[in-house]
Structure formats: C-alpha cells, structure tokens
Amino acid sequence: MTGLVYGLSSALGLVSQSLVNHHREVFSFAIKIADAFPIPEHDKGQICVAALLHDIGVVAFNGAITPETNDAELNDHAELGYRLLRDFHPFSPAARMIRHHHKSALQLEEEEPDEPIRLGAGIVHLADAISQRLDPSHCLLNQCQQLCEWAATIPAGVFSPEVVEAFLQQSSKEYFWFDARFATVSQLGGASALSGASVTLDLDGLRELSAVFGRIIDYRSRHTAAHSRSVAEVAAALAQKAGFSDCDCSRMQVAGNLHDLGKLALPVSILDKPGALAPDERNLVKSHPYHTYRILKEIPGLGEIPAWAALHHEVADGTGYPFHLKGDEIPLGSRIVAVADGFAALSEHRPYRLGMERQPCLELLETSAKAGKLDASLVALVAENYDELNELTHSALSKGQQEYQKILKEALYWPRLTAGAKRTGAQP
Ligand SMILES: [Fe+2]
Ligand SMILES: [Fe+2]
Ligand SMILES: [Fe+2]
C-alpha cells in the first residue's frame, strides 16, 4: 500500500519534475516534523499520504503554483485535491489535511474540529512553506539558518507554535536537509517511523484508489473526463465474458483505470488537440504506455496489472509500441484493455467528432481485427454484446462528466481553466 502511494506520487512527476521534487521535499520535512509528536502510527500514515499527494488538485486541473498565486487560488487547488480524494475512505483524513494545507493556524482552529487533522494540516502547511522558500540551485544546509530565523519570527496565528518548535528542533540535524535533497521517496518512507504506519488496502480498496488516479488522468482534458472509467468498465465486462475470475475482473478494472497513467507526461495542448497530431506530437504520445509500464512495475504486489494496463498499444504483428511485442507475448489481459480502449474511444464524443453509433463503430473495430491490429475473438465478443457494452460506456461517461462538473463547481473555480471568469460564489 505504501509502495502504491509512492508509485502514484512519482507518476505526478511526469507532469512536472519540479512538482515531484516539491512533493518529495514536503514529505521529507513533514515526516520528520511529525516524528517529534507522540501521535499514533495511523495518524502519521495519513500525514505521509497528505504530504505526498497534497498538490494533486494542481495536476488534475492543470494549474500551476507560482509566487504570484494568491491565497484564494491556493485554497482552490487544496479544495480540489480534497474533493478528489475524500470519497476514498482509507485516505479521507489525509484528504481533510490536504483541504487545509494552506490555511493559517487561526483559520484551522475555526474550520477544523479534529485535532489530529489540524496537526497534520499544520505540519504539511509548514513543510510546504519551507519547500517553497528553498533555492534548488544552492546547498540546503546553507539556507537553513535563514529559514529557521524566518520560522521563529512568523506570527503565532500563521503556523501553530508547537509545529514551528518541532521544525526548529528537527532541522538542527543536518540530515533533515540532506534527506530532502538526496533521498528517494521510498528511502524516506522506509527510514522513518512511518514505515509501519501504512494503510492496508484490499482489492476493492486498490480498485477505488485506481479510480481516483483515473480521474486525475482524465480531468486534465475536458474531452476525456471519463475515458479511464469507461475503459475500466468495458475491460472488466469483456474479461468476465472471456472467462476471467471475479478477482481478475476487479484487477482488470484497476488496469483500465490506470492504462493511461503515462498520459500525465503529455501536455494538455496535445490531449485537447482537435484532429490529427503532427509527427513530433505522435512521438510524445507514444511514450505514454512506456511510462505507465515503468511506474506500475515499480509498485510491489500488482501482479499482472502493469502488463495488462501498459501493453494496450502493442499489436500481434509486432508493429505496436513501445516494446514491439508479438503474438502470444501480449497477454490476453492487455489485448482486452486494447479492445476496450478502442471501443470506448470510438464511442466517446471528441472535440472533432461525435461518438460513433453501432454500425460504424463495429465496422472500424472489425477492420482493425482483420488487419491483425486487435484481437478478433475479443472484437467478436464486443459485437455480440454491443448493447450492454455501449450502455456501460455511456453510463460511465455521463457519471464521469457529472462528477467532473460537480467537483469544479463545488470547489469554486480554477482561474487557469476559466480564464477571465468571475468567482461563481458557490460554496462547498
Ligand atoms: Fe498546495
Ligand atoms: Fe505544495
Ligand atoms: Fe493509450
């Protein structure tokens, strides 16, 4: 479970290396500050998750945090991050910490009744503020004195005095700073008291968490705001018809939710581009299943899920990408995701065309199967069960679109998405 959060957090680095460095730094500082408090392992585990994922609202909604970002905008991304994670129950305390990670100690007192959440949010807030103030081009140890002076003189209502005290105490050890710069996320997790503080996830939990990440992938483009969800549903239904066990059908949903994880590496201009891509853009797109594979392979305990998810652009004749696998080298699970991906993509509305109806959709899939590009027996299964699969796709798409609109509306607005728009006034 800890490995899963580390892996998914590192996937955010595909969007921006500076963001992944920032998450790692905040994680490194936060766990050491948290270690100074006598708090239960479970609460420490939640602080760990909050620190590693605190800016997911920025990724999902294509924002950027700069020195010019004002307080209202900071709280918007915190609110979006909270709304992305809150329904995933094992992380709901972490989601509340994320919601408050830019709030002052005074605001926290007023808005958050639970002390463990206030403490976690306050720790992530201070860790974040330290990370924001570091100059990445200079040795961190040379900057620590200045940062400690800044923290010691900050008014009491901004950060809680106990959290500042814990920071001053922990930051006198040189490794506090070296770790933030040089240690990997798994080294940091393994070396801290948090190594035993992870949350255990069963297969249902894994499926729900993969759905959260599916949303983060999909929300980056309004045109594909439910693609991963739709692929997950269709892939699981096809797997069931192909004779997979219930457990493997659940795993197939995880693979469907995460199959485009590597698309986090693609700029939104490519995701949103109407019509054909230029050759250099196509080359960038070709990297996405590679990234999916590399990231998921690092996460222990996922079994065949990385292969099922990532090999969805491999083709039996060896002309697929990125590994050019042939025939039986491509597992049946990957071929299922490929067919589900093709079916969902054809059925979805895109900026340059409406979703296809039955006949043209099946004709295109069958042409691809005849040309050896898709598994013919799976395409035949799609044809036999078209109505059921079409219904699954449409319901996944409409649910996904509704959730996407709701989350945006409820979390006020995101200025970079709706440039020039006025605040709607809607309150959470
Ligand atoms: Fe933030
Ligand atoms: Fe941050
Ligand atoms: Fe793909």
Side-chain angles (χ1 to χ4, degrees):
M1 180 13 251
T2 315
L4 185 63
V5 178
Y6 295 163
L8 295 177
S9 165
S10 79
L12 304 178
L14 295 173
V15 180
S16 141
Q17 191 50 47
S18 63
L19 183 66
V20 88
N21 289 341
H22 172 63
H23 273 132
R24 201 196 60 243
E25 274 177 15
V26 171
F27 176 54
S28 179
F29 294 143
I31 55 180
K32 292 177 182 67
I33 298 171
D35 278 345
F37 290 89
I39 48 181
E41 295 282 281
H42 172 266
D43 291 347
K44 287 189 178 179
Q46 295 294 325
I47 296 171
C48 166
V49 171
L52 275 171
L53 301 178
H54 71 278
D55 279 336
I56 50 170
V58 175
V59 174
F61 296 92
N62 304 310
I65 295 180
T66 68
E68 288 76 45
T69 306
N70 64 37
D71 284 353
E73 290 164 352
L74 281 177
N75 280 320
D76 283 352
H77 85 265
E79 187 68 27
L80 288 165
Y82 158 69
R83 283 168 189 280
L84 277 166
L85 263 194
R86 69 173 174 181
D87 293 330
F88 178 59
H89 293 293
F91 290 176
S92 54
R96 286 162 67 195
M97 294 172 192
I98 288 174
R99 177 182 221 180
H100 298 307
H101 82 268
H102 287 292
K103 303 247 171 87
S104 68
L106 280 177
Q107 278 176 299
L108 270 172
E109 282 291 334
E110 283 169 18
E111 295 179 26
E112 178 52 63
D114 288 352
E115 167 54 23
I117 305 292
R118 285 204 299 271
L119 179 61
I123 288 173
V124 175
H125 186 195
L126 181 60
D128 181 78
I130 300 162
S131 168
Q132 301 279 0
R133 278 167 176 76
L134 289 171
D135 178 347
S137 58
H138 288 100
C139 172
L140 299 195
L141 212 49
N142 291 335
Q143 302 171 59
C144 72
Q145 192 185 346
Q146 205 184 354
L147 274 162
C148 289
E149 283 167 12
W150 162 80
T153 55
I154 207 109
V158 179
F159 299 108
S160 105
E162 300 81 57
V163 173
V164 173
E165 185 53 44
F167 160 65
L168 293 173
Q169 179 196 322
Q170 297 290 62
S171 67
S172 62
K173 305 162 192 166
E174 287 80 3
Y175 94 109
F176 181 92
W177 303 98
F178 293 142
D179 260 2
R181 173 65 55 87
F182 302 115
T184 63
V185 165
S186 49
Q187 286 170 335
L188 290 168
S192 82
L194 296 176
S195 54
S198 61
V199 188
T200 312
L201 272 196
D202 57 13
L203 189 50
D204 280 344
L206 176 62
R207 201 174 49 181
E208 279 181 55
L209 184 58
S210 72
V212 171
F213 270 80
R215 276 177 228 135
I216 295 171
I217 299 158
D218 291 348
Y219 286 177
R220 295 184 67 228
S221 166
R222 268 166 290 183
H223 307 299
T224 60
H227 174 71
S228 302
R229 179 186 199 134
S230 156
V231 171
E233 294 291 331
V234 173
L238 273 177
Q240 195 248 336
K241 291 174 197 315
F244 281 45
S245 68
D246 288 350
C247 255
D248 280 345
C249 291
S250 291
R251 289 193 184 97
M252 187 56 76
Q253 275 192 315
V254 176
N257 281 324
L258 298 178
H259 78 287
D260 275 343
L261 188 62
K263 279 199 176 164
L264 293 174
L266 304 181
V268 182
S269 56
I270 290 187
L271 299 176
D272 275 353
K273 185 167 180 180
L277 298 173
D280 56 335
E281 293 171 326
R282 266 205 303 279
N283 283 338
L284 263 183
V285 169
K286 279 186 171 178
S287 68
H288 83 271
Y290 167 82
H291 289 307
T292 300
Y293 188 76
R294 287 284 173 242
I295 290 165
L296 295 183
K297 269 304 232 191
E298 282 292 295
I299 301 173
L302 290 187
E304 287 176 293
I305 291 172
W308 291 355
L311 305 180
H312 64 278
H313 288 292
E314 299 293 336
V315 174
D317 61 11
T319 59
Y321 59 87
F323 300 112
H324 293 242
L325 300 180
K326 283 186 179 163
D328 290 346
E329 289 173 338
I330 308 168
L332 177 58
S334 316
R335 287 180 268 146
I336 289 176
V337 174
V339 171
D341 188 34
F343 177 74
L346 293 175
S347 307
E348 289 164 13
H349 296 315
R350 290 288 158 93
Y352 47 93
R353 61 153 172 82
L354 290 174
M356 278 183 196
E357 298 294 333
R358 177 191 194 111
Q359 201 190 341
C361 171
L362 288 179
E363 273 174 15
L364 261 177
L365 291 177
E366 278 156 9
T367 306
S368 294
K370 275 189 198 127
K373 304 294 180 196
L374 288 175
D375 185 307
S377 61
L378 293 170
V379 170
L381 266 185
V382 172
E384 272 166 44
N385 298 280
Y386 177 86
D387 289 335
E388 181 192 336
L389 298 177
N390 191 43
E391 173 55 33
L392 276 181
T393 311
H394 283 281
S395 119
L397 291 175
S398 83
K399 275 191 213 146
Q401 282 290 353
Q402 278 167 18
E403 275 179 16
Y404 173 75
Q405 297 298 342
K406 184 167 177 271
I407 208 171
L408 264 187
K409 213 195 268 170
E410 286 182 348
L412 307 181
Y413 83 134
W414 187 243
R416 287 158 188 81
L417 262 187
T418 54
K422 293 269 183 286
R423 191 169 279 265
T424 62
Q427 289 298 319

